[in-house]
Every structure is written in C-alpha cells, then in structure tokens.
Amino acid sequence: MKIISVVGARPNFMKIAPFIKAINTYNERHTGNKPTPSPSREGNLKNSSIIQATGSINHILVHTGQHYDDSMSKAFFEQLEIPEADINLKIGSGTHAEQVGQTMIAFEKVLKAERPDWVVVVGDVNATLACSVTAKKEWIKVCHIEAGLRSNDLTMPEEINRLVTDRISDLLLAPDTLSVENLKAEGVTDSKIRFVGNIMIDTLEANREKAEKIDIGDIIKRNYKGSEKSAVMNLNPANHDFAVITLHRPSNVDSADVLGPIVDFLTDEVAGDLLLFWPIHPRTKKMLAEFGLSEKVAQHKNIVLLEPLGYLDMLRLNMGARLILTDSGGLQEECTVLGTPCLTLRRNTERPVTLRDHGGASVLVGNKIDVIREEYHNALQSMRTPVRPELWDGHAAERCLKAILEYGS
Ligand code: UD1
C-alpha cells in the first residue's frame, strides 16, 4: 500500500509524528527491517519510487511549506523525530487563495507522479483543504485525521477547510464522540467514520517525561527575544508562579481595536499579578509592530517575550503554568489532559470536549475584556484537574493506521 501524508503548518506536525511512527512500527513487524530514510525528492519526482519490501507500507511525507521558519517547522521535525519531508512544495505565505491554489498545482504533480492509494491529511489548515480536494479529483482515496470538529463559524478559514475536507473524505477519523455525532448529523454514513481518539495526545504522552525535565530558566535563556543582558535572562520561576499567553487568530490580532485592549489587559492586569510568558507567533509580531504596541509589551518587566517555542518547551510551560490564555485549538486539548486552567480567547470552539461544561479545563471568553477579566480571576482560584476524554490514551495513531489498513487499497 502506498500512502502520501501531508503537513503544512505548525499544528500538523504533532499530529503526523505518531502516524509516521505507527507506519514504521508496522513495517518493522512485517519486514523485520528498520525504516530507511528515502532520498529527498525535491525536483526529482520522475525518479522517486522507493523500493519497498512486499507487504510493507510505502510512505511519502509531503510538506506544503506553508510554515517555513525554523522555529515554526524544522524545530518540530527535529524534536518530534519526524523524518525530513520527502517532498517540500515550498508554498510559503500568501493569501488563502494563493496558498490553496499554489498547493493544489504543486500537489497535483506529486500525485500524478506517485499515484498513492491514499492521501492522509490532518487538522484544518490550508494544506488539509488543498491536498484533500486535489487527491479526490485524481480519484485517490482521502483519509482525514481529526475529522468532525465543528465551530459552526464560517468566518474561520479553518471551519471551511474542515467542512470541505470531511465532505469529500473516504475515511473520517474522529477524535471524540461529539465529532462523530457532528458527522452523523451531516449525513456521513457510519461506514466512513471511525472513532479513533486524539492523535495529538499520542505526542503529548510520548514527550511528557522529556518535557518534565526541562528547566524553565533554560527556556528563557534559549528563547528570550530581548537583550542578553536583561534581568529576565536570570529568571527561573517555580511552577504556578507564571501564566502563558499565545495569540495568533486573525480575529484577535489583525485589528488594533481588538488587540489594543487585550495588550492593555495583559500589561496592566495579568502581568501585575504574575510573570507572563508570551511566545510570539509571526503574524502577531507583525501586527503588534503595525499597531505601535511592540514597545509596550517588550518594556514590561513582568512580560517575557519569547520566540515561537518548540514542542517540548511549550509542553513544559503548560505543565507548570498557573493558567494559560490562548486562541489555539491544540493548547485547549493539551490543557485539558494536563489540567491547566485555560481561557480560550474565542467566541466558539470546534473542540467543545475541552470546555469546562464537558468536564475539560477550558472556558470560552471571546475577546471582550470584561468577560476575560472575570474568568481570569476565576481561573486564578481554580485547581489543576487533569481530564482524559475517551480514547485520548496515547494510542490513536495505531487506530488510525488500522482503520486505513482495514479499509484497504
Ligand atoms: C495557520 C493556520 C491556522 C493555525 C496556525 C498555527 C490556515 C488557514 N491557518 O495560521 O489554522 O492555527 O497556522 O500557526 O491554514 N509567517 C512567518 N513564518 C512562517 C509562517 C508564517 O513569518 O513560518 C508569517 C507570515 O507573515 C504569514 C503569517 O505569519 O503571512 C501568517 O501565516 P499563515 O500560514 O498565513 O497563517 P497562520 O496565522 O500561521
């Protein structure tokens, strides 16, 4: 069987790592051989077939190149032991139409050269949409890992990506039972749906011990964005003595009317109570500069501005944080399993299983400051209560691969 799996942006990497490990384990069992890295295929598609042992899975990893900075891509490949992508489409940044269109054009060439049995896409980024549609039009079966999440908010590009991908996928692998219900309600037949659990939690469980050993002071030394002589470089806060914020959604960072008051709240209130770690996403960095807010954040003595963090450093901060403020979907899930009180700066979420109402650790606070403030004070009082939704057990990747193998080529 030949499988092409696709990644494009940061949140994809922790979803594909366990899937590739599951393929390698399968191949070792069936051939007795350790996986050998394939030669890089860039610009050499015609001569790219790998010789495969009978019965094993021929796997090709395609990176669309939507995220390309080392801190947004390479660092994750290294830490999560993802083999170098066989093919990098080098799409880069652009408008949605540019990213999706260019990915489709480039990926179609890959498909015509490789003719896989399956294309496996993960999550909800532009690569997910572009590659699933292109594969389906080439009559290649599509498997979507993390199917069925719904925010019901069509102003989110990710929701459009999810809806289209799920509508055309042959095999929909759902992370939780609410997602299974969403798919059924949309009329997807039972035979296409498998409840496999959350593959991101496989990565969390595989890296928990490694992350626990990281010293917070070292995270600052390796990632601090300010001057090396700054007093911040010598900080080493204990667990529970700090908060973490991450922001990157266009709805939070692309308008000064929204980002300005959030920055005021963080500088005037949160950073008045606690040391605040802020790993800055490139989009947010750009917008803070554009709105003249960079200095206010950078000058605050209790705000530690960091480069975008690698997986292990972020996991370590999450394990020790008193609370997290975020608009990331993945962090909501990680907070749930680790028990970190989480304020989600969004009006809705495609991951309701992570909400306190469903037993999780996260609460939706949107981007209105009075609501954020109230829930921030509630969160300061809350205890860590780790929760493990059904099948978030570290073995989702094996179930994903099993579902594909059972479906057949
Ligand atoms: C994308 C995903 C989003 C995901 C997020 C995680 C879509 C529609 N959005 O949003 O779902 O939560 O990734 O980060 O796919 N940039 C760099 N270096 C990089 C990548 C981006 O500087 O390596 C800058 C560029 O200025 C770019 C901007 O960040 O224009 C935004 O990047 P983009 O890939 O368009 O979207 P994200 O906001 O990262």
Side-chain angles (χ1 to χ4, degrees):
M1 180 186 284
K2 188 168 183 176
I3 299 177
I4 288 188
S5 52
V6 177
V7 290
R10 185 170 61 176
N12 293 161
F13 306 139
M14 29 295 208
K15 293 169 197 165
I16 218 62
F19 183 66
I20 294 177
K21 285 199 179 116
I23 290 179
N24 288 342
T25 306
Y26 176 90
N27 280 347
E28 275 174 49
R29 275 202 201 119
H30 282 75
T31 65
N33 294 332
K34 291 260 178 221
T36 45
S38 56
S40 176
R41 296 168 175 231
E42 207 176 294
N44 190 23
L45 293 176
K46 285 206 182 104
N47 303 319
S48 63
S49 299
I50 306 172
I51 298 161
Q52 283 289 304
T54 323
S56 67
I57 297 168
N58 177 358
H59 177 251
I60 297 170
L61 178 62
V62 172
H63 189 334
T64 68
Q66 177 177 347
H67 284 175
Y68 44 86
D69 284 349
D70 284 356
S71 61
M72 299 291 284
S73 178
K74 191 170 169 226
F76 287 81
F77 274 67
E78 286 171 1
Q79 289 195 349
L80 303 179
E81 295 169 3
I82 303 171
E84 196 184 334
D86 299 294
I87 301 168
N88 191 322
L89 305 179
K90 298 197 168 164
I91 298 307
S93 299
T95 65
H96 285 271
E98 285 165 347
Q99 280 182 341
V100 171
Q102 283 164 17
T103 304
M104 283 179 159
I105 294 166
F107 191 57
E108 188 181 57
K109 294 192 178 89
V110 173
L111 294 179
K112 284 190 188 296
E114 299 291 348
R115 299 306 310 171
D117 300 298
W118 284 93
V119 165
V120 174
V121 293
V122 296
D124 55 16
V125 302
N126 285 339
T128 318
L129 167 75
C131 295
S132 57
V133 172
T134 310
K136 203 59 197 164
K137 290 197 174 185
E138 282 292 311
W139 297 0
I140 293 164
K141 288 190 289 298
V142 174
C143 169
H144 184 202
I145 298 182
E146 204 186 67
L149 298 183
R150 294 291 179 270
S151 66
N152 297 312
D153 176 358
L154 282 168
T155 65
M156 286 181 71
E158 293 84 358
E159 184 71 355
I160 301 168
N161 296 346
R162 288 180 208 115
L163 282 168
V164 175
T165 301
D166 284 347
R167 185 67 187 84
I168 62 173
S169 288
D170 298 276
L171 188 52
L172 297 111
L173 305 182
D176 54 61
T177 51
L178 297 172
S179 300
V180 171
E181 292 313 313
N182 289 338
L183 293 170
K184 287 186 177 172
E186 288 171 14
V188 180
T189 52
D190 285 1
S191 60
K192 288 183 170 185
I193 307 170
R194 297 282 181 286
F195 170 36
V196 293
N198 189 334
I199 201 162
M200 278 244 316
I201 303 306
D202 291 18
T203 299
L204 187 152
E205 294 304 341
N207 288 284
R208 201 191 260 267
E209 271 180 39
K210 255 191 244 169
E212 245 160 18
K213 295 187 184 125
I214 298 175
D215 185 67
I216 306 258
D218 281 348
I219 298 179
I220 300 176
K221 288 191 182 75
R222 283 186 274 105
N223 299 285
Y224 181 55
K225 283 173 73 79
S227 135
E228 277 187 25
K229 291 194 182 122
S230 160
V232 169
M233 291 296 272
N234 297 319
L235 289 173
N236 197 354
N239 284 339
H240 306 285
D241 282 354
F242 62 90
V244 178
I245 171 128
T246 78
L247 284 180
H248 75 286
R249 300 260 167 214
S251 56
N252 284 330
V253 305
D254 281 7
S255 142
D257 291 344
V258 176
L259 189 57
I262 293 177
V263 165
D264 288 343
F265 174 71
L266 295 174
T267 49
D268 302 346
E269 302 186 46
V270 180
D273 298 331
L274 289 164
L275 192 65
L276 179 63
F277 286 101
W278 190 346
I280 293 265
H281 185 282
R283 175 191 285 277
T284 312
K285 180 180 170 192
K286 198 163 78 180
M287 300 321 290
L288 284 172
E290 201 169 309
F291 302 146
L293 296 166
S294 306
E295 281 304 294
K296 181 166 189 184
V297 175
Q299 297 302 329
H300 198 293
K301 70 172 179 34
N302 252 359
I303 296 186
V304 185
L305 277 186
L306 301 172
E307 299 291 343
L309 292 179
Y311 182 78
L312 293 171
D313 287 347
M314 192 64 214
L315 183 55
R316 175 64 188 89
L317 287 188
N318 194 343
M319 285 170 159
R322 175 89 156 267
L323 68 122
I324 286 193
L325 303 104
T326 188
D327 58 10
S328 145
L331 271 173
Q332 288 172 57
E333 295 178 340
E334 288 158 351
C335 284
T336 294
V337 169
L338 297 173
T340 319
C342 173
L343 305 189
T344 301
L345 276 80
R346 294 176 48 189
R347 283 180 295 141
N348 46 52
T349 178
E350 62 289 336
R351 294 169 163 88
V353 74
T354 65
L355 294 178
R356 261 195 242 143
D357 295 348
H358 289 272
S362 144
V363 57
L364 290 175
V365 294
N367 51 26
K368 299 279 175 295
I369 301 305
D370 47 349
V371 181
I372 301 176
R373 180 180 295 115
E374 187 181 335
E375 289 300 340
Y376 164 69
H377 287 289
N378 287 341
L380 281 180
Q381 307 305 321
S382 5
M383 306 290 291
R384 282 186 161 260
T385 359
V387 170
R388 197 174 286 280
E390 194 181 349
L391 294 189
W392 291 27
D393 58 359
H395 298 285
E398 296 148 38
R399 290 187 285 268
C400 291
L401 185 59
K402 184 163 176 273
I404 295 172
L405 291 166
E406 281 173 359
Y407 193 108
S409 7

